[in-house]
Amino acid sequence: MNTSKILITGGSGMVGQSLKKLLPDAIYISSKDYDLTNESDVISMFEKYKPNIVVHLAAKVGGIIDNIEKPYEYFVENIRMNTYMVEHSYKNGVEQFIGILSTCIYPDTVESYPMKEEDLHLGPPTMTNFSYGYAKRCLAVQIDALNKEYGTKYQYLTPCNLYGEHDKTGHNSHFVAALLEKISIADKNKKDEIQLFGTGTPLRQFMHSDDLAWVIHECIDKKIYESFNVATEENLSIKQMAEMSLETLNLTHIKLNFDITKPDGQYRKDVSIDKLKHLLTDFKPLPFKEGIKRVYDKISKRHD
Ligand code: NAP
C-alpha cells in the first residue's frame, strides 16, 4: 500500500499511536502542527500535504467530569474541527475520508440492545456528554449529506470505549487508564482499597486502540467505504472490569469502594458489530483480560 499520501489528524493521540505501527509512512498531525479549530490552519495543512486519504482522529476528548464542566468547549471545538476537515477534504479532492465517532453519541436509551448503525438518531445522547455527543453526531450528518449531494464515498466508524498503552492518566483520563493508575498507586503504596466513581453497575464495551487501528488500516487497504460500528462483544459492568483487572494482576487483596456521589454516566450503550463482522471476517479483538496485562505495565511505569 502506498501510504505517502495518507494524512492522519490526532496523530499524537492514543489511536494515532496505534495507527503509526501499521502505517508508519503516513503523515501524522498533532495540535502543535496545526490547530484544526482554525480554518486557515486547515487550509495550510491541505496546501502543504495534498493527501488523497484522510483519517480524522483529532477531537476534543475527555472524561465525564470535564464533559460536564466544559460543554461549550466540547461542542464548539469538535464542530469546528470536523466541519473544516470534511469541507477541505472535499475541496482538495480527497478520495477516502474516515471520520471517527463514538458509541457515546448514540441515544441515551433505546428499546432494544445492542444498538445498530440505523439507531443513531432515535433519541438524544446522554446528558453527561450531550455536547460532545451532538457535535460528533453532526460529523455523521455532514458526511452523509456530502455523500448524498456530491456523490463522495466518505465514511465514519463508531468505536466503543477504548483503552491502550498511550491512554492519558491523571486529570481527564478515561475509565481503564484511571482504574489501572489507581491500582498501580495502591499497590506501590501498599494500600488495600481503591475508590471508583459511581455505582459500578453501568455496562461498557472496551476495546484496545490497536483493534480500531487495524480496522482503519483494513478500510484503507481493502477500499471499504461503508460506515459502521467498531466494538468488542464483551459488554461488562464497571465492577466486573475492575474485578477482572485485579484478578489478572494478582492483586485481589485490593478492595473496591464505589463513590456513589459521583455520576455513573450512561447505563449502557452496547452496539452491534454484525456489519463489521460481515465486512471484515478476520476481526479478532483482544480480550479485555489480555489487554489489561499489556497496558498495566506501561501505565504503572509512569509512577516509578
Ligand atoms: P486523544 O488521545 O485524546 O488524542 C486527541 C488527538 O486530537 C491528539 O492528537 C490531539 O493533539 C488532537 N487534537 C485535539 N485538539 C486538536 C486541535 N484543536 N487541533 C489539532 N489536533 C487536535 O484521542 P484518542 O483517544 O486517540 O481518540 C481518537 C478518536 O477516537 C477521537 O475522534 C475520539 O473522539 C474517538 N474515540 C475515542 C474513544 C476513547 O475512549 N478514547 C472512544 C470512542 C471514540 P495534541 O496531542 O497535540 O493535543
Side-chain angles (χ1 to χ4, degrees):
M1 194 196 320
N2 174 13
T3 59
S4 61
K5 285 287 186 183
I6 302 176
L7 183 138
I8 295 166
T9 69
S12 51
M14 176 171 66
V15 182
Q17 297 298 318
S18 289
L19 212 41
K20 259 184 203 165
K21 295 188 269 181
L22 301 176
L23 295 170
D25 301 326
I27 303 146
Y28 289 85
I29 303 294
S30 81
S31 68
K32 290 179 192 68
D33 306 308
Y34 297 97
D35 175 5
L36 303 178
T37 63
N38 179 337
E39 190 169 15
S40 57
D41 272 25
V42 176
I43 292 171
S44 309
M45 180 178 78
F46 276 99
E47 274 171 0
K48 179 165 180 194
Y49 294 111
K50 302 186 182 1
N52 49 28
I53 296 174
V54 167
V55 180
H56 177 43
L57 301 174
K60 180 165 179 66
V61 183
I64 195 166
I65 302 292
D66 209 47
N67 267 273
I68 291 170
E69 286 173 355
K70 297 177 191 153
Y72 188 72
E73 262 178 48
Y74 277 86
F75 186 76
V76 169
E77 289 188 24
N78 284 308
I79 284 279
R80 283 197 183 128
M81 273 189 251
N82 296 341
T83 306
Y84 300 147
M85 283 304 299
V86 174
E87 174 89 356
H88 291 286
S89 292
Y90 176 64
K91 284 187 174 159
N92 285 277
V94 166
E95 290 152 30
Q96 185 170 21
F97 178 98
I98 305 177
I100 305 295
L101 309 185
S102 164
T103 54
C104 68
I105 76 169
Y106 269 97
D108 193 15
T109 54
V110 292
E111 278 181 13
S112 114
Y113 291 89
M115 293 185 277
K116 296 196 170 55
E117 286 77 1
E118 56 270 25
D119 294 343
L120 183 59
H121 300 292
L122 288 185
T126 190
M127 287 314 289
T128 41
N129 57 241
F130 193 73
S131 297
Y132 173 82
Y134 256 118
K136 283 257 170 189
R137 266 195 205 186
C138 288
L139 176 58
V141 174
Q142 189 185 1
I143 288 175
D144 288 340
L146 188 86
N147 289 344
K148 195 168 175 198
E149 192 171 338
Y150 294 101
T152 44
K153 290 187 286 184
Y154 288 5
Q155 71 198 117
Y156 44 88
L157 303 179
T158 309
C160 63
N161 287 69
L162 304 171
Y163 67 95
E165 284 81 343
H166 296 279
D167 214 346
K168 287 185 270 253
T169 44
H171 171 70
N172 212 13
S173 56
H174 295 281
F175 169 66
V176 171
L179 168 70
L180 297 184
E181 186 179 32
K182 284 177 186 181
I183 294 176
S184 161
I185 291 172
D187 186 34
K188 282 176 189 155
N189 294 311
K190 310 248 174 291
K191 297 270 189 301
D192 56 8
E193 186 182 273
I194 57 168
Q195 194 171 62
L196 301 176
F197 283 7
T199 61
T201 56
L203 300 171
R204 293 289 180 267
Q205 289 165 305
F206 260 99
M207 184 173 69
H208 195 285
S209 58
D210 283 0
D211 291 320
L212 175 60
W214 181 86
V215 171
I216 293 169
H217 178 271
E218 290 297 288
C219 286
I220 296 171
D221 194 36
K222 299 200 162 75
K223 300 193 189 310
I224 293 169
Y225 300 108
E226 305 223 26
S227 295
F228 54 92
N229 296 329
V230 185
T232 73
E233 285 177 314
E234 287 178 293
N235 190 32
L236 305 168
S237 75
I238 295 290
K239 184 165 181 264
Q240 275 175 312
M241 284 186 277
E243 285 170 350
M244 276 169 82
S245 303
L246 290 168
E247 269 165 38
T248 306
L249 302 168
N250 292 321
L251 294 170
T252 45
H253 63 279
I254 299 178
K255 300 291 165 234
L256 301 171
N257 174 8
F258 289 95
D259 179 359
I260 57 167
T261 64
K262 296 287 192 314
D264 261 341
Q266 197 165 354
Y267 174 59
R268 66 184 293 181
K269 49 181 174 170
D270 39 304
V271 292
S272 155
I273 57 164
D274 288 352
K275 192 169 177 185
L276 160 63
K277 288 196 294 187
H278 175 72
L279 290 165
L280 296 170
T281 48
D282 294 340
F283 180 64
K284 297 260 175 322
L286 195 66
F288 184 71
K289 271 191 173 180
E290 284 178 39
I292 288 303
K293 275 188 227 152
R294 263 176 58 179
V295 174
Y296 184 71
D297 271 0
K298 286 272 165 49
I299 288 188
S300 62
K301 282 201 180 91
R302 293 183 197 172
H303 303 286
D304 286 345

